[in-house]
Amino acid sequence: MSATSGDNIGAAGKQDVSASDAAKTLIMHGNRLDSRDLFSAEREIIIVHGEERYRLRLTSQNKLILTK
């Protein structure tokens, strides 16, 4: 996932997805998701919620920051 360099939005306005991004599998335990699984490759991910995009970042002090 290469979210740290941008959203990877192509000219058509759709998000470009590489083969490695498409193959990512996350395991949920009930309503829980381990953040280590989210940040295994990058320190920032993009969350799409409806029409909005949010950035979830892992800081150097191991805290989470969610920004719009």
Side-chain angles (χ1 to χ4, degrees):
M1 202 180 249
S2 54
T4 56
S5 61
D7 291 349
N8 295 334
I9 303 299
K14 294 186 178 178
Q15 188 169 356
D16 296 336
V17 178
S18 70
S20 63
D21 290 341
K24 180 73 175 174
T25 301
L26 299 173
I27 298 171
M28 292 191 66
H29 301 280
N31 65 349
R32 291 182 180 212
L33 181 64
D34 194 321
S35 64
R36 290 175 292 193
D37 295 334
L38 289 174
F39 297 106
S40 61
E42 300 285 338
R43 297 191 63 84
E44 181 177 287
I45 62 170
I46 304 297
I47 300 171
V48 178
H49 180 66
E51 298 293 318
E52 304 292 332
R53 293 186 193 282
Y54 297 85
R55 293 180 187 271
L56 184 61
R57 293 181 289 144
L58 184 61
T59 70
S60 59
Q61 296 179 341
N62 207 32
K63 297 193 184 264
L64 296 175
I65 298 177
L66 179 67
T67 55
K68 191 169 180 182

